[in-house]
Amino acid sequence: MPGNDFELRYERLFAQWLERVQTELGWQIAQARPAAWIRTAYREHGELPAARFALIAFERKLRCVEDAFPPVAATAERETGLRVDIRPDFTPPSPDFPVGTVTVAESSVQSFDPPGVHAEVADAVQTYLADRYSHLWPLCPEHAAGLHAVTHEGEAIWWCRTQNHPAARIRGERS
């Protein structure tokens, strides 16, 4: 928690900048506690214009999706024998849509952190397999019930709601 005058002033300026950016973009990127990467962008670049910050955020999300998709899709194909015939798609920021969008199987990715992105990508692949092939993937090895992609304790995992427990990590390889 900031204590001295400099830290308090810095925190106030950061909060004001973030509020201006969010208002200008019409986009609530930070909840009660802004993510570390937002603070890093502010520390490294200062009070970026909203459009420049949106581009940094978009590029971060796109990189995370590009990192998450191949191992998740490969795992789904290996475990199901079905072809994951989709690829991430994106629309970069523009004057008409200042924050851009990144989608997987028509599901818009909202997260900016790797665990959240991995969970959202896994959920999109899971939905794709269900819609395209009527195939439920993955199943809990203990309960043979469908799993749900979530973040838990800073990690992307498959969660079994049947008995409310983590079943496997989402990293492309089952653990």
Side-chain angles (χ1 to χ4, degrees):
M1 187 73 177
N4 67 40
D5 288 341
F6 175 77
E7 290 170 335
L8 291 171
R9 178 171 158 68
Y10 181 88
E11 285 300 313
R12 185 173 41 76
L13 291 171
F14 170 72
Q16 290 171 347
W17 167 77
L18 186 56
E19 183 62 32
R20 279 193 312 272
V21 166
Q22 292 180 135
T23 299
E24 189 173 326
L25 296 173
W27 179 40
Q28 186 68 28
I29 191 171
Q31 302 306 319
R33 198 167 145 198
W37 73 268
I38 298 172
R39 289 184 173 282
T40 299
Y42 181 77
R43 185 178 60 251
E44 291 176 357
H45 304 285
E47 294 193 2
L48 289 165
R52 178 68 182 126
F53 177 74
L55 185 59
I56 289 171
F58 169 81
E59 289 170 349
R60 176 186 174 83
K61 183 186 297 188
L62 183 59
R63 277 191 312 275
C64 287
V65 169
E66 289 173 339
D67 289 345
F69 181 79
V72 170
T75 298
E77 287 181 348
R78 185 176 61 255
E79 292 181 0
T80 65
L82 301 171
R83 178 99 173 110
V84 177
D85 200 20
I86 55 172
R87 296 291 170 258
D89 194 19
F90 65 92
T91 303
S94 68
D96 292 334
F97 194 59
V99 297
T101 186
V102 180
T103 60
V104 176
E106 299 180 19
S107 294
S108 180
V109 175
Q110 301 300 310
S111 295
F112 291 89
D113 62 292
V117 169
H118 266 82
E120 289 187 57
V121 166
D123 183 67
V125 170
Q126 181 184 53
T127 299
Y128 169 80
L129 292 172
D131 292 349
R132 173 85 161 88
Y133 300 106
S134 298
H135 186 85
L136 184 57
W137 170 84
L139 297 176
C140 177
E142 293 178 47
H143 304 104
L147 297 173
H148 301 271
V150 300
T151 55
H152 178 72
E153 296 179 356
E155 192 171 11
I157 60 170
W158 290 110
W159 191 269
C160 176
R161 290 187 183 160
T162 301
Q163 290 295 317
N164 200 31
H165 69 92
R169 290 179 61 223
I170 300 172
R171 294 301 299 182
E173 296 295 327
R174 302 292 289 271
S175 55

